[in-house]
Amino acid sequence: MLEVSLRGQAMPVSPFRKLAPYAEAARLQGKIVYPLNIGQPDIETPPAALEAVRTADVRVLGYSHGAGTESYRRKLAAYYQRASLPVAFEDIIVTTGGSEAILFALLTCLNPGDEVIIPEPFYGTYTAFAIAAGVTIVPVTAHIENGFALPPLADFERVLSPRTRAILICNPSNPTGYVYSRAELESILGLCKAHDLYLLSDEAYREFCYDAPYVSALQLPGAEQHVVVVDTISKRYSACGARVGALVTLNKQVYMAAFRFAQMRVSPPGLGMLLAEAASELPESYFDESKAEYLARRDLTVARLQAMPGVVCPRPGGAFYVLAHLPVDDTEEFGRWLLESFSYENQTLMLSPANGFYQTPGLGRQEVRLAYVLNRTDLAAALTCLELALLAYPGRTEPLPAAEATTAITI
């Protein structure tokens, strides 16, 4: 009997899209569904970037250089240099989104059967790319009690094995929003140097740090041979559909190996690079408005969640996510119930159950990731739906106050 590959069988369902069919059904019933499940910002893509695509004098949309057009790589290098990263255009490979950069990093730095250590909870698609690369993820668990800070170095050392080849971090973190300090980054790089490991650093949310300055792994002393940065314009310029990312490394051996993968897939998106090049020329002040808006959304989201009985929600330092503990038996069941059985004034919300962000079985069952990517009016309405839903949910795990009102809720 024909069967799909073991990779195909092992590929998980997207943790942020698994409830999408239920949301589609709810919308067909006429419900308003607020999508807090996925990091799709509603911030306007820079008009100047879109205009660059509209007015481009392109008669044949051909292949580019395998690493991306030199003009864009030079502009991107200048962007990194303004952020105090020692990057030249020859250190950059433009990729088809950050996703391809992650895959190239794993394919380049690890062999099939090798292990990569990742603090969990982590970005759900790391699992998919590890499966595609034949790599085993070894998790080290961060905890909600201390805001998902970097686990102790001893926890990393405990899981080192002869097959360990890399440590992968996301800074600021998707899904927790935690921002690693310079001291934490230096401790991880020190471990990589001591054990001859790569440090793969996903820096997709670098522009959105709210409480402390951002530190890139490439800025650390001794980063040259060990650090590979993966990046994307998706969140920076609210341009998820452009599918333009980058792999950045000062290690020439890694660069050349990754470049061969890049050549074999021919080239990154041409129109996307036109948009990205125009965006890279925007002044630093461009980020002031979007960063201030996300900060206001963070503060709204955290204040509302922390006021809900039984909810535990650390204050994230960056990105645009919170990972919260809810007083429910299972957030996947709760998320399905929200879409199938609950509405308040004909409104409900879609969320991401956090079990899909953990590698360790059983973890995250009572946690949820919420993306504060909607305008504050819609965000407040979605959080009101969540607050009332938690009071009405049959699988709530904590007793409600006797006088708790649940009127105006349709189940």
Side-chain angles (χ1 to χ4, degrees), residues 3-4 17 20 26 29 72 96 104 116 125 169-170 178 184 191 266 277 280 294 299 320 324 344 361:
E3 291 186 346
V4 300
R17 293 184 185 270
Q29 295 170 11
Y72 174 49
T96 306
F104 282 0
V116 56
T125 56
I169 60 171
C170 184
Y178 186 81
E184 288 173 318
L191 185 67
V266 188
E277 184 171 339
S280 69
Y294 285 132
D299 292 345
F320 37 65
Y344 168 67

Side-chain angles (χ1 to χ4, degrees), residues 171-187:
N171 185 37
S173 169
N174 175 5
T176 69
Y178 186 81
V179 179
Y180 295 124
S181 67
R182 177 178 289 274
E184 288 173 318
L185 292 171
E186 287 176 343
S187 70

Side-chain angles (χ1 to χ4, degrees), residues 2 15 48 108 125-126 136 150 181 190 196 264 300 339 360 393 398:
L2 287 174
T108 300
T125 56
Y126 293 160
T136 299
L150 187 74
S181 67
D196 205 22
M264 293 302 284
L300 168 65
L339 296 166
T360 303
Y393 179 55
E398 295 180 6

Side-chain angles (χ1 to χ4, degrees), residues 211-404:
D211 305 320
Y214 182 74
V215 179
S216 169
L218 269 178
Q219 293 172 302
L220 303 177
E224 294 80 6
Q225 293 305 303
H226 294 271
V227 172
V228 178
V229 164
V230 298
D231 199 5
T232 176
I233 70 164
S234 291
K235 317 303 181 176
R236 182 174 302 137
Y237 302 113
S238 192
C240 299
R243 307 314 301 138
V244 174
L247 182 148
V248 186
T249 183
L250 306 182
N251 183 318
K252 292 306 178 184
Q253 186 178 13
V254 170
Y255 182 94
M256 289 309 301
F259 177 59
R260 290 192 290 272
F261 283 110
Q263 282 187 313
M264 293 302 284
R265 66 86 167 95
V266 188
S267 71
L271 292 178
M273 283 188 288
L274 287 175
L275 183 147
E277 184 171 339
S280 69
E281 296 179 307
L282 292 168
E284 288 299 300
S285 59
Y286 162 77
F287 297 105
D288 294 345
E289 186 176 346
S290 56
K291 185 174 178 179
E293 176 61 24
Y294 285 132
L295 176 59
R297 295 179 186 186
R298 180 200 70 170
D299 292 345
L300 168 65
T301 302
V302 172
R304 290 289 304 273
L305 287 170
Q306 290 182 345
M308 297 179 194
V311 174
V312 177
C313 177
R315 182 180 299 276
F320 37 65
Y321 307 102
V322 295
L323 198 75
H325 171 95
L326 302 185
V328 301
D329 53 359
D330 185 289
T331 52
E332 188 167 338
E333 291 297 323
F334 175 64
R336 190 178 299 118
W337 177 85
L338 276 171
L339 296 166
E340 289 186 319
S341 305
F342 173 85
S343 71
Y344 168 67
E345 297 183 349
N346 204 40
Q347 304 168 95
T348 189
L349 71 150
M350 180 163 49
L351 44 73
S352 288
N355 58 354
F357 299 100
Y358 285 89
Q359 183 80 0
T360 303
L363 294 185
R365 287 186 64 248
Q366 292 182 284
E367 293 174 355
V368 63
R369 189 194 75 170
L370 300 174
Y372 46 91
V373 292
L374 304 182
N375 66 78
R376 277 174 272 171
T377 299
D378 287 353
L379 184 59
L383 291 167
T384 295
C385 288
L386 177 62
E387 182 177 11
L388 295 174
L390 287 172
L391 301 179
Y393 179 55
R396 186 180 174 95
T397 57
E398 295 180 6
L400 293 174
E404 196 71 67

Side-chain angles (χ1 to χ4, degrees), residues 71-261:
S71 59
Y72 174 49
R73 284 185 290 146
R74 286 188 179 277
K75 297 283 178 59
L76 185 55
Y79 157 81
Y80 288 129
Q81 290 161 14
R82 291 194 297 271
S84 301
L85 275 66
V87 174
F89 86 92
E90 297 96 339
D91 303 318
I92 298 170
I93 295 173
V94 183
T95 58
T96 306
S99 299
E100 188 176 67
I102 296 164
L103 180 60
F104 282 0
L106 293 174
L107 291 171
T108 300
C109 297
L110 292 91
N111 293 310
D114 283 346
E115 296 175 349
V116 56
I117 301 173
I118 311 179
E120 65 177 356
F122 55 75
Y123 180 41
T125 56
Y126 293 160
T127 302
F129 295 122
I131 291 169
V135 170
T136 299
I137 292 176
V138 177
V140 174
T141 305
H143 299 282
I144 197 170
E145 291 79 10
N146 65 353
F148 299 104
L150 187 74
L153 214 57
D155 290 1
F156 288 84
E157 292 171 331
R158 196 173 297 119
V159 298
L160 287 171
S161 83
R163 294 193 297 162
T164 306
R165 290 290 300 275
I167 296 173
L168 170 57
I169 60 171
C170 184
N171 185 37
S173 169
N174 175 5
T176 69
Y178 186 81
V179 179
Y180 295 124
S181 67
R182 177 178 289 274
E184 288 173 318
L185 292 171
E186 287 176 343
S187 70
I188 287 295
L189 180 58
L191 185 67
C192 290
K193 289 158 71 174
H195 295 275
D196 205 22
L197 308 176
Y198 292 107
L199 175 56
L200 311 180
S201 184
D202 183 343
E203 302 185 0
Y205 299 90
R206 69 168 65 244
E207 300 293 347
F208 306 116
C209 294
Y210 310 118
D211 305 320
Y214 182 74
V215 179
S216 169
L218 269 178
Q219 293 172 302
L220 303 177
E224 294 80 6
Q225 293 305 303
H226 294 271
V227 172
V228 178
V229 164
V230 298
D231 199 5
T232 176
I233 70 164
S234 291
K235 317 303 181 176
R236 182 174 302 137
Y237 302 113
S238 192
C240 299
R243 307 314 301 138
V244 174
L247 182 148
V248 186
T249 183
L250 306 182
N251 183 318
K252 292 306 178 184
Q253 186 178 13
V254 170
Y255 182 94
M256 289 309 301
F259 177 59
R260 290 192 290 272
F261 283 110

